[in-house]
Amino acid sequence: MRRSSPPWFVAHGLLIAAASLFALPLVWMLLSSLKPAAELAADPHRVFPREWRPANYLDAVTTMPYFQYLLNSLVLCAGSVIGTLWSCSLAAYAFSRMRWPGRNAVFGLLIATMLLPWHVTMVPKFLLISELGLYNTLGALIAPTFLGDAFSIFLLRQFFLTIPEELSEAARLDGCTEWGIYWRIILPLSGPALATVALFQFVAAWNDFSGPLLYLNDPARFTLAYGLEQFVSSYSSQTNLLMAAAVLFTLPIVLLFLFAQRTFIRGIATSGLKG
Amino acid sequence: MEHSTRHRRRQLRQLTAALPFLAPWLIGFATLIAYPFIASLFWSFTSYDMLSPPEFVGVENYRRLAEEFVRGERFGLAVWNTVYFALVSVPLSIVLGVALAVMLSWNIRGRAVYRTLFFLPSVVPAVASSVLWLWLLDPQAGLVNYLLTGAGLSGPGWFNSTAEAAWPLAWFRGTWGFGSKDALVLMSLWGVGNFMIIYLAALGDVPVQLYEAAELDGAGPLRRFWHVTLPLLTPVIFFNLVMGLIHAVQAFTQVYIVSEGQGAPAGSTLMLSLYVFLAAFKYLEMGYASAIAWSMFVLIVLATWGLFRSSRYWVFDPSGARL
């Protein structure tokens, strides 16, 4: 017996009660998104719609340029996943598989940058990126991911450290360069870690609100996260459409999570425990 | 002599080998972190509207902040709101996160399903969960107040109210209730799944022998939790406390959306993070915004430092000092 548990009916009772509380908001979002506007206004607390109205979803994607936003979001996600994997795996390799003077001190600096609130760097960074002509382009949000971020570097480094050093030694004896070891040995062995970082970065880019709020100005460039907020301020009275839009925005992330649950959970546990 | 030259030459070779790997991050560090870090410190002593060059004004921005703080005006309000939100949401999320993780560690069927349900809300994007909770907590049409009324309680004003449920003086003043910041706390508790997963992983690492030994000594479930589980979780609780505080102080997206981008109602959700944004991009006072951002940074550093100082008194040291 691993650990004592309360009697099964008490345990399940408590867990079902808690799980219902956690699930209820999502269920309510779904149900509200399927009601006609009039019904929602007249009788907002009725559980199941009198008349199911899936057309809300059609209305939601036509009242806002949904597919334009979706395309922008996907470009942002793809660009930042590529940027992060490239820049962070390189830095993580140097921090875990190479010896060089000052490595620990520089790694400490990297960790310290995680404590810096983004507000401190917000204004100068904004001016710098605007100066480069990236204002009002997705490039303003994608370009920085090609310059590494501390969290992903840390996560990859933790994984690279677990790969036996003998593999690198053997490759070096065979005349393999550091680039060769990085590309042919470390990266192919790091599939799960790279998947975790890619997944986290995809979700972060999909959800990012402050980036588009600061850098995007032209509605044709908006991402879904920002577009949804704009939709809220202009259609705040049409709750059914709002909920349909929110479901459409949330669903890909929820599906991604259900599909890749292990990767998510392993990533969170790793970054939290080995810190 | 010859040895040290060779040593230095080797170090140089190592550095030149590592530099290309580090180059992207180093360029990013220099341009997107180090330079902005120093520039904003410098600008916090200037008056700067982005159109004309910054003009040195000494400590004027900080004097303004101190004045607003003392009078309880905008900056004072923002500090209070930020501290309130962090001090209420972080401890509650630790208690809830540990409780859920302990429940998930029970030896029963269907744990994976429960875990998924507890974790799912934490992957819902902040924009979507803000929109959703604005609807759920709508004082008239929202589901939560409907259920509360059904249970014979009066529904609070939530996002329409400036009340602060965790502020003891409100009891005596007769203004007690759940307001906008409490609604934000509720939202953050709904997304506690991230923390829960970390506790769950830590619970799995607790050696079974410790429970067996405690049971042999006649310790019941509550004492086993208090004397075995909880001490062994303290390092993870400490980690989550630090990360949770840093995140809570920086909370922006949900604050921006529920407050209509301005801290509504009546400045009750004006947090430091929102105030920096407004000062910079609404009022175009870059110098003043930089001063707020630096105050925020100092607040985070002090809080982190204090937590690290306190950790020796309550965080379990695996080397065995407290067992």
Side-chain angles (χ1 to χ4, degrees):
Chain A
M1 189 193 73
R2 167 125 192 84
R3 149 202 319 274
S4 65
S5 316
W8 68 269
F9 52 92
V10 177
H12 278 291
L14 285 171
L15 279 162
I16 288 172
S20 317
L21 286 178
F22 274 80
L24 190 61
L26 291 174
V27 173
W28 200 247
M29 170 160 82
L30 207 57
L31 287 172
S32 303
S33 76
L34 290 164
K35 294 177 181 175
E39 192 183 321
L40 208 53
D43 188 7
H45 308 304
R46 197 187 147 84
V47 176
F48 293 106
R50 241 179 230 116
E51 177 201 337
W52 295 81
R53 191 167 187 280
N56 285 339
Y57 285 85
L58 202 63
D59 290 351
V61 301
T62 45
T63 36
M64 66 170 166
Y66 176 82
F67 293 100
Q68 180 69 53
Y69 292 167
L70 177 66
L71 183 68
N72 294 337
S73 274
L74 290 176
V75 169
L76 173 62
C77 288
S80 38
V81 166
I82 292 169
T84 303
L85 287 179
W86 177 75
S87 60
C88 297
S89 65
L90 284 174
Y93 184 85
F95 279 119
S96 59
R97 312 292 302 185
M98 298 173 92
R99 271 171 200 287
W100 40 279
R103 188 178 81 170
N104 290 346
V106 177
F107 186 67
L109 195 66
L110 174 92
I111 296 300
T113 62
M114 285 201 253
L115 302 183
L116 189 67
W118 58 272
H119 308 79
V120 170
T121 54
M122 176 180 78
V123 172
K125 192 176 156 188
F126 175 81
L127 293 176
L128 188 72
I129 285 177
S130 307
E131 201 72 31
L132 293 172
L134 292 174
Y135 179 73
N136 200 20
T137 67
L138 289 173
L141 307 174
I142 296 174
T145 64
F146 279 82
L147 301 176
D149 85 279
F151 177 75
S152 306
I153 294 174
F154 173 75
L155 217 115
L156 287 174
R157 169 194 178 263
Q158 297 307 95
F159 190 86
F160 289 177
L161 281 175
T162 63
I163 299 172
E165 187 58 30
E166 288 79 24
L167 290 176
S168 302
E169 299 281 324
R172 272 187 205 111
L173 285 179
D174 289 345
C176 199
T177 61
E178 292 296 328
W179 295 102
I181 299 172
Y182 161 78
W183 187 252
R184 296 209 203 123
I185 296 174
I186 302 299
L187 284 193
L189 286 174
S190 304
L194 294 170
T196 305
V197 167
L199 193 67
F200 279 0
Q201 189 59 40
F202 184 93
V203 173
W206 181 270
N207 294 353
D208 184 21
F209 172 73
S210 55
L213 174 71
L214 281 178
Y215 290 105
L216 302 179
N217 189 27
D218 173 3
R221 307 251 164 89
F222 288 176
T223 60
L224 270 178
Y226 191 43
L228 180 61
E229 191 269 337
Q230 295 288 306
F231 190 68
V232 175
S233 30
S234 22
Y235 293 89
S236 57
S237 54
Q238 283 168 283
T239 307
N240 55 344
L241 296 195
L242 220 54
M243 290 301 125
V247 169
L248 286 176
F249 177 55
T250 307
L251 202 61
I253 296 295
V254 167
L255 291 178
L256 196 63
F257 164 69
L258 293 176
F259 182 69
Q261 192 167 168
R262 276 163 179 272
T263 310
F264 259 96
I265 286 174
R266 187 182 45 225
I268 292 168
T270 312
S271 56
L273 281 179
K274 296 184 179 160
Chain B
M1 191 64 192
E2 202 201 328
H3 172 77
S4 92
T5 325
R6 213 187 307 151
H7 179 66
R8 202 159 307 149
R9 214 173 277 156
R10 203 183 68 194
Q11 285 198 327
L12 200 67
R13 210 171 45 234
Q14 287 175 334
L15 263 185
T16 44
L19 263 180
F21 286 88
L22 288 168
W25 174 71
L26 275 179
I27 294 170
F29 177 74
T31 57
L32 299 179
I33 295 174
Y35 157 71
F37 185 74
I38 292 162
S40 72
L41 179 62
F42 171 67
W43 287 346
S44 76
F45 296 101
T46 65
S47 164
Y48 183 28
D49 61 3
M50 283 211 276
L51 304 171
S52 46
E55 191 186 316
F56 189 76
V57 292
V59 294
E60 170 61 19
N61 290 323
Y62 291 98
R63 196 198 57 75
R64 258 175 78 190
L65 288 181
E67 194 178 299
E68 288 186 35
F69 183 77
V70 172
R71 293 196 186 155
E73 285 167 5
R74 293 176 71 81
F75 179 67
L77 208 57
V79 170
W80 165 251
N81 290 336
T82 307
V83 169
Y84 179 97
F85 175 68
L87 288 189
V88 178
S89 71
V90 176
L92 285 178
S93 71
I94 287 176
V95 174
L96 184 65
V98 170
L100 292 175
V102 167
M103 282 161 72
L104 286 178
S105 73
W106 288 338
N107 194 9
I108 53 169
R109 275 160 185 272
R111 287 197 301 184
V113 177
Y114 292 123
R115 190 186 63 190
T116 303
L117 285 172
F118 291 156
F119 187 72
L120 201 56
S122 71
V123 303
V124 173
V127 176
S129 69
S130 307
V131 174
L132 172 59
W133 280 95
L134 275 172
W135 167 230
L136 288 168
L137 295 176
D138 186 286
Q140 281 83 43
L143 176 67
V144 174
N145 275 8
Y146 175 70
L147 295 177
L148 289 177
T149 321
L153 302 162
S154 69
W158 299 116
F159 288 118
N160 292 355
S161 155
T162 59
E164 291 159 346
W167 179 231
L169 285 185
W171 272 106
F172 302 109
R173 294 206 191 109
T175 54
W176 190 81
F178 289 88
S180 52
K181 285 190 288 294
D182 305 309
L184 283 169
V185 170
L186 194 63
M187 267 176 71
S188 76
L189 290 179
W190 190 54
V192 79
N194 274 320
F195 286 160
M196 180 197 75
I197 292 295
I198 298 177
Y199 296 125
L200 194 57
L203 281 176
D205 289 344
V206 176
V208 198
Q209 302 92 291
L210 289 182
Y211 289 113
E212 289 167 355
E215 211 167 352
L216 282 179
D217 289 345
L222 281 179
R223 293 187 61 188
R224 285 203 296 273
F225 174 76
W226 193 254
H227 291 289
V228 179
T229 312
L230 205 55
L232 288 170
L233 281 184
T234 49
V236 186
I237 291 178
F238 176 69
F239 173 83
N240 281 348
L241 194 57
V242 173
M243 298 313 281
L245 271 180
I246 292 173
H247 276 150
V249 170
Q250 295 185 58
F252 180 77
T253 302
Q254 63 274 49
V255 173
Y256 184 92
I257 291 175
V258 304
S259 75
E260 295 148 25
Q262 49 202 342
S268 64
T269 55
L270 181 72
M271 308 256 179
L272 283 171
S273 63
L274 183 60
Y275 197 28
V276 176
F277 172 81
L278 291 177
F281 295 101
K282 276 266 154 62
Y283 319 140
L284 297 182
E285 294 195 70
M286 299 300 158
Y288 186 57
S290 301
I292 306 168
W294 268 84
S295 319
M296 195 172 151
F297 179 49
V298 170
L299 186 71
I300 288 181
V301 169
L302 285 179
T304 312
W305 177 79
L307 283 175
F308 269 92
R309 281 299 299 270
S310 79
S311 68
R312 73 174 87 149
Y313 299 109
W314 64 274
V315 175
F316 175 70
D317 176 5
S319 63
R322 272 186 47 183
L323 200 72

